[in-house]
Structures are given as structure tokens and as C-alpha cells.
Amino acid sequence: MTSPELARAASLIRSIPDVPKPGIVFRDVMPLLADARAFAAVIEAMAAPFAGRFDAVAGLEARGFLFAGAIAQATGTGLVPVRKAGRLPRPAARRDYTIEYGEATIEVQDDLPTGARVLIADDVLATGGTVEAACHVLREVGCRVVGATVLFAIPELRGRERIGDIELATVFEG
């Protein structure tokens, strides 16, 4: 951490055991979102490693939308929602994948021009399944994934390994 604002932001993330099921520790970022200065500090920290290298930010459902939207606004770039299956009116690509507590499917529309440079944004990197699946669907619709940025990574779940050579920036780990 390099600033008092980021230290404050870290102190606002709560760990809630056994949510959504026994054995899972849920990282509650809602108190951080409620603090304007802490939220601004993490948005800046999430975007900085990729400054000038992306045309749009892909937000992963659901909390990733909050971070992606703020990053897109702060950087003057577009926003692409990567949604759970069945929630988009014109899905162009879809991917089934596994997560730490089950299986899921995501979809994306093809609203960006071919070759658009996209930064993936999410709140937490756990097993890496969602980021890996997002890379797949974004590439399938012709985007170039420049990297992924997350607020919080959980190293013991080995998500970095699963996403391979995708450049990853994290604000906090633990």
C-alpha cells in the first residue's frame, strides 16, 4: 500500500465466513464502496498499471460492474458488461466454467469493434475461473484482452495460475 487512502480502503474490506456456503470466506467490499475517498483511491490503483493501454473495461457480474464502471468513467473509456447466462438481449459468445463453489456460464455481446483493447475488472480473484472465461468470450467477439485488474486476490486459491499469461494487477492480497 502506498497511501493512507489505500490503507483505509483495505481496512474497510470485511471477511465473512461461510458465505455463500460453508468453507467459503466472502470478501465484503460494500463498506469500501460507501467511502468516497477509499473508493476513488482503489479505482485509481486498479487503472494505473494499464493507463493508456485499453479502449474499454469489461466488468464481471456483479460486483465487477461497480469497479469497471468507475474505471471506465475515470479513464474516458467504454464499458462492456460480462453477464451471467440469459441476462443479455444479444449474446454473441458464451462460456461455461467452474468457480470455487460450483459452475457458471457467462456471456458477452459484440458491441466493440474488432481489435478493441479491453481491460477486465472484477472485485476478487479467487480461483480465476471467471477471469479465464471472460478472456475467452472477449477474444471470441474479436477483442484483445490487455490484462485484468482486481481489487483483491486470494493467493491460496491459485487464480493467477489459472489465468496463465494474462497480465494481472491487484490492489490487495490476502
Side-chain angles (χ1 to χ4, degrees):
M1 283 178 259
T2 60
S3 73
E5 291 84 10
L6 285 178
R8 175 160 173 67
S11 76
L12 295 170
I13 300 170
R14 307 280 186 255
S15 294
I16 313 293
D18 300 323
V19 174
K21 68 182 216 175
I24 302 292
V25 178
F26 183 83
R27 299 307 200 266
D28 181 11
V29 301
M30 298 309 161
L32 182 154
L33 297 175
D35 185 299
R37 287 181 29 214
F39 187 41
V42 299
I43 294 305
E44 182 180 330
M46 291 174 77
F50 300 96
R53 295 174 35 206
F54 58 96
D55 306 308
V57 185
L60 306 185
E61 188 162 338
R63 296 185 305 174
F65 294 165
L66 303 170
F67 294 96
I71 293 167
Q73 178 65 37
T75 60
T77 58
L79 175 65
V80 177
V82 178
R83 304 276 332 249
K84 293 177 182 171
R87 297 190 178 172
L88 290 172
R90 300 178 293 102
R94 98 186 256 134
R95 178 79 168 192
D96 299 323
Y97 65 102
T98 58
I99 54 178
E100 61 271 27
Y101 49 85
E103 295 180 0
T105 303
I106 58 170
E107 297 175 332
V108 69
Q109 293 185 177
D110 58 355
D111 298 320
L112 293 174
T114 299
R117 302 169 304 159
V118 178
L119 174 64
I120 296 170
D122 205 1
D123 61 333
V124 175
L125 178 73
T127 63
T130 309
V131 170
E132 178 186 46
C135 288
H136 178 84
V137 296
L138 289 164
R139 288 175 177 146
E140 192 173 322
V141 297
C143 295
R144 196 178 75 185
V145 176
V146 299
T149 186
V150 297
L151 175 68
F152 192 90
I154 306 169
E156 62 268 18
L157 295 179
R158 303 169 66 167
R160 283 184 191 266
E161 293 174 25
R162 185 164 181 183
I163 64 171
D165 64 352
I166 296 299
E167 184 178 344
L168 176 68
T170 63
V171 180
F172 307 116
E173 293 198 10

